[in-house]
Amino acid sequence: MNDRHLNIDEIASIKNKFYFKQDKKYRLQHPDEDIPMESEPSDEESDLSIILYKDKEHYQDLDGNIYEITKDNQMGILVHKSC
């Protein structure tokens, strides 16, 4: 999977999904704050998601493998292989 090249729409979709989850988590932890709503992420599904791993954003595939995110938002090296 390391040779995969992500297109700009897929990168945006993955990032939107991650930030939507982060926003939801924040709103649950701060119910009394008035926070403006952002638009929903696109319906386009990806087999990748963004997770926080060792305090940095990484891609995670459906098998649980974790990859670095390169400066151009592509999949970098495999940093954790799931069992």
Side-chain angles (χ1 to χ4, degrees), residues 32-48:
D32 298 331
E33 283 188 41
D34 185 25
I35 306 166
M37 282 296 288
E38 296 291 326
S39 60
E40 296 285 327
S42 86
D43 290 340
E44 186 177 319
E45 287 296 320
S46 174
D47 59 341
L48 295 175

Side-chain angles (χ1 to χ4, degrees), residues 3-4 8 21 28-29 31 35-37 42-43 46 54 57 73 80:
D3 297 334
R4 179 175 173 183
I8 192 79
K21 288 179 187 176
L28 289 173
Q29 293 172 347
I35 306 166
M37 282 296 288
S42 86
D43 290 340
S46 174
K54 296 186 179 179
E57 292 180 9
N73 293 310
H80 175 79

Side-chain angles (χ1 to χ4, degrees), residues 9-10 13 24 27 31 36 40 42 49-50 52 59 62 70 73 77:
D9 292 333
E10 188 171 15
S13 178
K24 187 174 184 178
R27 288 173 189 276
E40 296 285 327
S42 86
S49 58
I50 296 176
L52 293 177
Y59 288 130
L62 295 176
T70 64
N73 293 310
I77 63 170

